[in-house]
Amino acid sequence: MGTRSAVLNTEARTVEADVLSRRCVMMRLMDFSYEQYQKALRQSAGAVVIILPQSMSSVPQDVIRQFMETEPEMLAMETIVPVYFAEEDEELLSIYEQTQAASASQGSASAAEVLLHTATANGFQMVTSGAQSKAISDWQITSVEGRLAGLGGDDLPTIVIVAHYDSFGVAPWLSHGADSNGSGVAVLLELARLFSRLYTYKRTHAGYNLLFFASGGGKFNYQGTKRWLEDNLDHTDSSLLQDNVAFVLCLDTLGRGNGLVLHVSKPPKEGTLQHAFLKELELVAASQFPEVRFSMVHKKINLAEDLLAWEHERFAIRRLPAFTVSHLESHRDGPRNSIMDVRSAAGARVDSRVLTRNTRIVVEALTRVIYNLTEKGVPADLQVFTEQMQIQQEQMESVMEWLTSQPRAAQLVDKDGTFISTLEYYMSRYLKDVKQHHVKADKRDPEFVFYDQLKQVMNAYRVKPAIFDLLLALCIAAYLGVAYIAVQHFGLLYKLVQRLSLKSKQQ
């Protein structure tokens, strides 16, 4: 992150050094603080390298939480200093420790000690090569949709189930998005599997169309969803979104916590299907999972802000009834946009049991609405999905493993890459009419711009400081000077040596 001109050729220092100007400042995540980061920027550092541990499971929760709180400020701050993130290994740790020792020695009390250490210590020159980052003009954001047709006619109500798959963080190549929004995609795929089995048999084939949409560009103001709505509502005459949409259910951050929150832009009215779904969520949570705190949060859409808060707001703007289910109470919570949102991070870990529980709550409530089970007198504590229809926790864990094994930042997910093809294949196993939708930024007035050069190789060269070369030159000059004087006055020197040797013999 930082400047687009990320070419580097500067000497390494740690933040303990007094002078950081035009230096490559190295700091470990365990010792990172926003104040130290700002100190490096204020002193016009040549670059900042933040070293991350290979496994986040060893990092204390308070360190994870502190960095999550810092990330939005780092992203919001404009700076010309390039900021790199690197995963720790033995060689990098050795470089850091040697650099830290050299930086700390500058605070010694004796000027002679500082001079001696400066002259003899090893330093490291951090060098990167590569062209300046350029805008990618033809990059496409890809979304995938599939459907299950209802039974009973052409004008059936449609329930839309949506989850954005992309991740976001201060470093795109480290953005794995476990909870946000790998968990939402995992729930969407499990719902597709379960309802495909129900829709296979005529006895359980419901009178609702189910439309599943895995959207791209969610972290960029839901650009994939926006274009998908435009294509279906403005540029075609035949679309399930134009006919009879019962409601849109958006899935976001469902892998942690002891609560579930239904985020709405407008409270559902009694007698509507969306109100029935709200009541069923309350009913299922209270009767089957009393430890889960369920609540509804009403937030009006603020069109004055640059970014929408939740994905359902994209649908609400087009007057489609929509809401988002999440364990987060606010869209500003750190885990939604953090490189710390990985499966192994302490305090940010996706709990497969919680993910399975939340999936059950959502699918049970949705099933009770679709099949009108409450009106038919089916008890609220009766679980529909049991035995062969059981939610498969192991399969959801495998899906999460696949999702989090790769960075899913929007600027890294290629339309022809393995991620999109695998997602499309998975959805094709359970859904019909699976197809891709693509979004390309407008060349005249782009709503998003992606850049290349997001990953670079940094080389560390062991070097002596400049003062070492100066002292070495002085020593060589002194040696040559003595040799020159000895040659020019060889006769005097010879007589002096002869006199001294005779004197020693006489004694």
Side-chain angles (χ1 to χ4, degrees), residues 326-365:
S326 172
H327 72 78
L328 299 176
E329 296 184 356
S330 171
H331 66 283
R332 301 185 186 279
D333 286 352
R336 293 192 74 204
N337 300 300
S338 175
I339 61 174
M340 296 292 108
D341 183 16
V342 295
R343 290 197 71 194
S344 61
R349 184 183 294 110
V350 171
D351 190 329
S352 57
R353 293 172 298 178
V354 172
L355 183 61
T356 303
R357 181 202 68 195
N358 291 340
T359 304
R360 177 174 293 281
I361 293 174
V362 172
V363 72
E364 292 277 352

Side-chain angles (χ1 to χ4, degrees), residues 76-382:
M77 178 184 295
E78 293 187 7
T79 175
I80 61 172
V81 177
V83 181
Y84 297 88
F85 292 84
E87 291 188 351
E88 184 179 282
D89 57 23
E90 291 184 3
E91 292 180 351
L92 184 56
L93 184 59
S94 175
I95 291 172
Y96 174 81
E97 290 175 347
Q98 293 180 59
T99 305
Q100 186 180 38
S103 300
S105 68
Q106 295 182 358
S108 301
S110 171
E113 290 179 358
V114 173
L115 182 62
L116 179 61
H117 191 278
T118 303
T120 58
N122 289 319
F124 291 93
Q125 193 79 4
M126 314 303 287
V127 180
T128 62
S129 59
Q132 181 174 334
S133 297
K134 297 180 181 179
I136 306 173
S137 58
D138 58 347
W139 191 261
Q140 294 185 5
I141 293 176
T142 305
S143 304
V144 185
E145 78 162 82
R147 64 188 66 190
L148 292 171
L151 180 67
D154 297 329
D155 191 25
L156 295 176
T158 299
I159 295 176
V160 186
I161 303 172
V162 182
H164 67 272
Y165 64 77
D166 56 311
S167 57
F168 188 76
V170 71
W173 273 98
L174 298 175
S175 303
H176 295 269
D179 196 14
S180 178
N181 191 32
S183 63
V185 176
V187 175
L188 179 140
L189 295 177
E190 184 67 4
L191 294 183
R193 185 187 71 83
L194 294 172
F195 280 107
S196 69
R197 297 194 63 178
L198 290 175
Y199 275 48
T200 300
Y201 307 102
K202 187 174 181 179
R203 185 169 58 89
T204 55
H205 199 159
Y208 285 87
N209 297 317
L210 298 182
L211 184 57
F212 294 82
F213 186 58
S215 63
K219 302 300 186 180
F220 290 87
N221 213 18
Y222 309 103
Q223 291 297 322
T225 300
K226 180 184 178 183
R227 185 64 58 85
W228 185 61
L229 287 171
E230 291 173 352
D231 291 344
N232 282 276
L233 297 179
D234 301 335
H235 304 146
T236 185
D237 296 329
S238 58
S239 170
L240 291 178
L241 294 178
Q242 287 182 332
D243 302 330
N244 183 10
V245 176
F247 59 81
V248 180
L249 172 61
C250 299
L251 307 169
D252 196 329
T253 51
L254 292 165
R256 296 175 52 224
N258 296 317
L260 272 181
V261 181
L262 188 71
H263 295 272
V264 299
S265 302
K266 186 178 181 181
K269 293 182 180 179
E270 288 192 28
T272 61
L273 206 64
Q274 53 264 36
H275 184 267
F277 180 69
L278 167 63
K279 291 302 178 183
E280 294 294 355
L281 277 176
E282 291 179 338
L283 196 63
V284 171
S287 58
Q288 298 185 21
F289 302 96
E291 73 278 5
V292 176
R293 303 185 307 272
F294 178 79
S295 61
M296 183 183 75
V297 173
H298 171 216
K299 177 190 174 299
K300 293 183 178 181
I301 302 174
N302 187 358
L303 296 177
E305 292 185 357
D306 294 332
L307 300 176
L308 297 177
W310 299 98
E311 192 160 13
H312 72 265
E313 295 183 357
R314 274 287 171 216
F315 296 91
I317 290 174
R318 301 304 299 262
R319 299 188 181 281
L320 295 175
F323 29 69
T324 297
V325 178
S326 172
H327 72 78
L328 299 176
E329 296 184 356
S330 171
H331 66 283
R332 301 185 186 279
D333 286 352
R336 293 192 74 204
N337 300 300
S338 175
I339 61 174
M340 296 292 108
D341 183 16
V342 295
R343 290 197 71 194
S344 61
R349 184 183 294 110
V350 171
D351 190 329
S352 57
R353 293 172 298 178
V354 172
L355 183 61
T356 303
R357 181 202 68 195
N358 291 340
T359 304
R360 177 174 293 281
I361 293 174
V362 172
V363 72
E364 292 277 352
L366 196 56
T367 304
R368 294 182 69 86
V369 169
I370 291 175
Y371 295 95
N372 200 19
L373 297 184
T374 299
E375 293 294 328
K376 294 178 181 178
V378 177
D381 58 352
L382 178 65

